Amino acid sequence: MSTAPASPAAPLTARTAIAAGVDLPQLGLGVFQIPPDQVQPIVEQALDVGYRHVDTAAAYNNESGVGAALRASGLPREEVFVTSKLRNGEQGYDAALRAHAETLERLGVDHLDLFLIHWPNPGAGLWQETWRAFERLHSEGSVRAIGVSNFLPEHLRELTEVASTLPAVNQIELHPTHSQSDLVAHHRELGITVESYSPLGQGADLDLPEITRIAEAHCATPAQVVLRWHIQHGFVVIPKTTSRDRLVENLDVDGFRLSAEQMATIDALDRGHRIGNDPATFSISQIR
Ligand SMILES: NC(=O)c1ccc[n+]([C@@H]2O[C@H](COP(=O)([O-])OP(=O)(O)OC[C@H]3O[C@@H](n4cnc5c(N)ncnc54)[C@H](OP(=O)(O)O)[C@@H]3O)[C@@H](O)[C@H]2O)c1
C-alpha cells in the first residue's frame, strides 16, 4: 500500500451545486478542534496545496485565524468557499443577525458562502425564527447559501413548514460506521445536499480490515478510500487534519474509482456508531 503523499499538483475534487448559482468543491477542510492560535498556518497550507473550501463555526473560536489565512493566501475572495455556523446560544431572529455580522467581522469578509444553523437545539425551539433571519441574510446577499447541521427529519419538517427557501445542505455526522442511510434518503427526496462531518470517523474508521483491503487494491490509503466513498455517494466532505502530508493525501482522491462491490462493502460497515452529540437532545449554548 502506498502511503506516499500525492504531489501538490493533485487535481481538485469536482465542484457540486448546492443551490441555484452556488457550487463548491465537494471536498474541503474542516477546522473543528484546531486551536485558535494554530489554525492560520494550517489553513494557509491547505490553500497552498489546493483546498478551496473551508468549514469553520463560531463555536470553534477560530474564525479569526481562518480569516487571517484567507488574507495571507492572496487568493481572490471568490476563489475560496467559506462556511460558518451559528452557535446554539445565538439562535433567534435578532441574535442570529447580530451573530452573523460578528462572524463576518472575525473572518474579515463581506459575505459567507454558506451559513448553517449548527444544531437544532430543540430545547430552545428557536430554529423557525432563526431560519427567517437566515432567509433575510440570503435575500440581502450577505450569505450565498443557507443550510442547517445536525437536523433530524422532525426538525426539517418543522423548518420546511415556515421556510420560503429550503436548506441547501444539512451537515450531519456521516462515516462508514455511521452512514445514516435513512436520513440520506430523506434528504434526496427533499433535494437537500448531504454534507458529511467527521467523515473519517475521526480516524477510527480507517483501521477496519474491509477498508484497508480496498485501499491495498487501489494503492491508496484508507483515508483516501473513505473519502472516495463519500464523494461517489455525492456527499460534500470536510475532513480535518493538521498535517501537511495528510492535507495533500486527503485531497488526492480523484485518481481511482471504487467499484459497486467496494461501495457496497463499505456501506455494509454501518453500526450506527455515533461519535458526536445526539441532535435529538444536544442543547449546550456553545458560548464560552
Ligand atoms: N456540524 C457539526 O456539528 C460538526 C461536528 C464535528 C465536525 N464537524 C466538521 O467536520 C470536520 C471533520 O470532522 P472531525 O474533525 O470531527 O473528524 P474527521 O475529519 O473524521 O477526522 C479527523 C481526525 O482524523 C485524522 N486524520 C485526518 N486525515 C487523516 C489521514 N489521511 N490519515 C489518518 N488520519 C487522518 C486527524 O488527525 P490529524 O489532525 O493528526 O491529521 C483527526 O484526528 C470538522 O473539522 C468540522 O469542520 C462539524
Side-chain angles (χ1 to χ4, degrees), residues 15 23 47 51-54 56 66-67 70-71 73-84 100 103-104 107-115 141-145:
R15 298 182 75 89
D23 64 9
L47 296 172
Y51 286 73
R52 292 294 181 268
H53 168 187
V54 182
T56 183
V66 171
L70 293 173
R71 286 188 295 284
S73 75
L75 289 165
R77 169 70 187 87
E78 63 276 14
E79 274 197 30
V80 187
F81 192 96
V82 181
T83 301
S84 194
H100 169 262
T103 276
L104 290 190
L107 283 163
V109 297
D110 64 0
H111 70 277
L112 285 175
D113 295 291
L114 178 64
F115 195 34
S142 55
V143 174
R144 294 178 62 226

Side-chain angles (χ1 to χ4, degrees), residues 29-33 55-56 60 85 116 118-119 149-150 171-172 196-203 206 221 223-224 238-243 246 249-250:
L29 174 71
V31 298
F32 177 44
Q33 292 177 326
D55 180 273
T56 183
Y60 302 168
K85 314 184 193 83
L116 305 178
H118 204 148
W119 291 87
S149 176
N150 294 296
Q171 187 183 111
I172 56 173
S196 307
Y197 79 65
S198 303
L200 307 174
Q202 294 190 339
L206 302 180
T221 67
Q224 288 171 327
I238 46 170
K240 168 258 174 188
T241 181
T242 52
S243 139
R246 285 176 174 174
E249 174 188 331
N250 293 350

